[in-house]
Amino acid sequence: MRFFGRKKKKEQELDEAFAKVTKEIQDIDAWDDPKKLEHYILDSCEQIIATTKEIKAEKKEYKLVTKYLDDIQIIDNLPEERYNEVRNAAANILESDRAKTAYLESSKKITDEQFVLMEQEQEDMPGIISRMQENERYQAKIKKEMNDLEGQKSLVEMEINESNRSKMLQ
């Protein structure tokens, strides 16, 4: 019953808006003045555009709410066993989401064991870093030499192929 009351209210609002527009049209005293008429027409067009956008947004929201209601009805009509499965899955999703949020909001802390370990290795760290840098330089040197050797290998293979071709032509 309330829905129909709202519909009557909307119709009444439309009637009032129509009456207002009619009065404004009748109040235009200078129909011959193109500027006033143009101004009125532009205002009306802008109102139509704004109202159209508002209607589209309301329709979109209505469809969204209707989808939610349909989903709720489907879930409510499930057998008890399936309903419990869906409910448990939803609870797990919520818990995962809460855990993710809590993790992202937490500050990064190291454990006491990690701190003790770091403290023990503190004196050796400069040496470890030096060794790692040396190893990286050595690996870069090896990689460069390997590239050089691959280039030489390709050159030798091309020379062998060229030699074989020239022998066949003779």
Side-chain angles (χ1 to χ4, degrees):
M1 193 80 169
R2 186 172 183 203
F3 176 76
F4 295 114
R6 261 196 277 171
K7 186 174 180 183
K8 286 183 182 180
K9 183 179 178 184
K10 285 281 188 189
E11 287 177 6
Q12 184 181 8
E13 288 174 0
L14 286 174
D15 289 341
E16 289 172 5
F18 185 74
K20 180 183 174 190
V21 169
T22 306
K23 185 178 182 315
E24 286 180 13
I25 290 173
Q26 291 171 350
D27 288 347
I28 296 177
D29 53 353
W31 281 96
D32 297 333
D33 186 4
K35 290 289 182 190
K36 284 187 177 180
L37 190 57
E38 181 181 339
H39 181 68
Y40 174 76
I41 291 171
L42 285 174
D43 284 346
S44 298
C45 289
E46 287 173 358
Q47 287 177 351
I48 290 171
I49 291 170
T51 304
T52 303
K53 287 180 180 178
E54 189 177 317
I55 289 171
K56 284 182 181 179
E58 294 293 327
K59 282 183 180 179
K60 187 176 179 180
E61 183 179 352
Y62 175 79
K63 286 179 183 178
L64 184 65
V65 169
T66 304
K67 279 184 174 182
Y68 286 145
L69 287 174
D70 289 345
D71 290 344
I72 289 170
Q73 284 179 337
I74 289 170
I75 291 171
D76 283 344
N77 292 332
L78 286 175
E80 190 69 29
E81 184 178 312
R82 289 285 291 157
Y83 177 81
N84 288 334
E85 288 176 15
V86 170
R87 190 162 178 80
N88 290 337
N92 289 339
I93 290 170
L94 281 173
E95 183 60 34
S96 295
D97 191 42
R98 287 184 190 131
K100 177 184 171 191
T101 303
Y103 173 75
L104 292 174
E105 291 175 355
S106 69
S107 61
K108 308 297 184 229
K109 298 178 182 175
I110 61 172
T111 64
D112 291 336
E113 294 91 25
Q114 290 172 329
F115 182 76
V116 169
L117 244 164
M118 286 177 62
E119 208 171 48
Q120 290 173 352
E121 299 294 326
Q122 186 173 4
E123 292 176 10
D124 297 334
M125 284 308 253
I128 293 171
I129 292 172
S130 298
R131 268 186 277 133
M132 289 179 87
Q133 288 173 339
E134 287 174 24
N135 289 342
E136 287 175 356
R137 282 192 291 270
Y138 178 72
Q139 284 181 344
K141 184 178 176 183
I142 296 290
K143 187 174 182 180
K144 183 180 180 281
E145 289 178 3
M146 287 294 291
N147 287 337
D148 290 344
L149 288 174
E150 282 294 323
Q152 290 175 5
K153 176 183 169 188
S154 297
L155 186 62
V156 168
E157 286 176 349
M158 287 178 12
E159 288 175 356
I160 290 172
N161 288 339
E162 185 65 33
S163 172
N164 287 340
R165 253 187 276 147
S166 64
K167 283 183 184 177
M168 291 178 131
L169 291 176
Q170 289 178 354

